[in-house]
């Protein structure tokens, strides 16, 4: 069966390849601190069904302990090296098989291989101390090669670090009216797309969570990044098929034969 991508909202996706279900940065909350889910239903219970989970970095909207607690016992969870020291709550999830990785590490899960790749992002757990863990992306290789970028800014070595892939899951926005360093907005994500040159792309990390009380502040930054990425990608990477998904929607993108 071809690879299938399902977007649950924010950076949470299921990548199903070669009979293996891989879940990225699960966030299944209606509210997280000052953020609330403004668009898309909460993911259904089957969203938490996975053979492996990839956590890109330690920010609470990517490493969300209550969402990880919904996983079945025995689920393999890959986290950046140092995560269990920086986030003590991870050690309480003793039913999960937590594996710390760093860029370049490879982990075999069934018939797929997951390779950790570098990201350009502040990966600290805030405000829980000074421990630093490097943010990561991941490449899932089975019948296809799928790059999940996590949170990252552009960096010169990005294409070489990621390598040849069929599908990219690229962040194109955020959860507030301004994006700081270490993020991709729609134009920068299109530049990353042109460098990596996959066959297909799915924009993520936008249009889901927004700060309480800021509904009227720069609303285009909430609603617009997906459409703007489609427009920018058509200019910078016209040979890439961009799949703009709604929450809970799936696609089977074209991959190399």
């Amino acid at each position: 069966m071809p690879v299938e991508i399902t977007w649950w909202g924010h950076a949470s996706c299921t990548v199903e390849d070669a009979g293996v279900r891989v879940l990225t940065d699960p966030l299944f909350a209606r509210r997280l601190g000052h953020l609330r889910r403004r668009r898309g239903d909460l993911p259904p219970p089957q969203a938490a069904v996975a053979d492996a989970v990839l956590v890109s970095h330690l920010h609470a909207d990517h490493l969300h302990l209550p969402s990880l607690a919904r996983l079945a016992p025995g689920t393999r969870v890959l986290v950046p090296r140092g995560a269990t020291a920086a986030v003590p709550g991870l050690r309480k999830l003793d039913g999960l098989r937590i594996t710390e990785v760093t860029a370049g590490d490879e982990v075999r899960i069934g018939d797929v291989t997951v390779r950790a790749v570098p990201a350009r992002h502040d990966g600290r757990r805030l405000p829980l101390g000074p421990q630093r863990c490097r943010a990561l992306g991941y490449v899932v290789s089975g019948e296809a090669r799928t790059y999940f970028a996590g949170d990252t800014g552009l960096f010169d070595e990005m294409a070489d670090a990621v390598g040849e892939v069929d599908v990219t899951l690229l962040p194109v926005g955020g959860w507030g009216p301004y994006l700081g360093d270490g993020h991709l907005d729609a134009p920068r994500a299109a530049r990353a797309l042109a460098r990596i040159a996959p066959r297909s792309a799915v924009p993520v990390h936008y249009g889901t969570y927004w700060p309480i009380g800021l509904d009227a502040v720069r609303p285009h930054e909430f609603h617009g990044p997906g459409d703007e990425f489609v427009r920018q990608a058509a200019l910078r990477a016209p040979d890439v098929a961009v799949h703009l998904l709604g929450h809970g929607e799936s696609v089977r993108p074209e991959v190399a034969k």
Side-chain angles (χ1 to χ4, degrees), residues 170 172 185-187 189-190 193 201-204 206 223-245:
L170 287 177
V172 301
D185 59 9
L193 191 69
V202 176
V204 302
Y206 77 99
H223 294 285
D227 290 331
E228 180 62 13
F229 175 71
V230 171
R231 190 182 75 83
Q232 293 281 343
L235 296 174
R236 292 185 174 274
D239 293 334
V240 180
V242 178
H243 302 280
L244 191 65
L245 300 181

Side-chain angles (χ1 to χ4, degrees), residues 79-113:
V79 299
R81 182 172 295 173
T84 53
V87 186
L90 272 175
R91 298 195 291 271
K92 298 179 181 179
L93 302 176
D94 53 6
L96 303 179
R97 298 167 58 203
I98 296 176
T99 301
E100 295 191 353
V101 294
T102 192
D105 288 349
E106 293 188 352
V107 178
R108 187 74 177 175
I109 301 163
D111 288 333
V112 307
T113 298

Side-chain angles (χ1 to χ4, degrees), residues 41 66 95-96 121-122 129 140 165 187 200 202 206 210 237:
D41 294 332
L96 303 179
H121 189 69
D122 182 352
V140 179
V165 293
S200 302
V202 176
Y206 77 99
W210 203 248

Side-chain angles (χ1 to χ4, degrees), residues 54-56 103 114-119 135-139 147-152:
L54 311 180
V55 174
S56 62
V114 177
R115 175 169 55 93
V117 299
L136 298 172
Y138 296 93
V139 176
Y147 169 48
F148 168 61
D151 258 356
T152 187

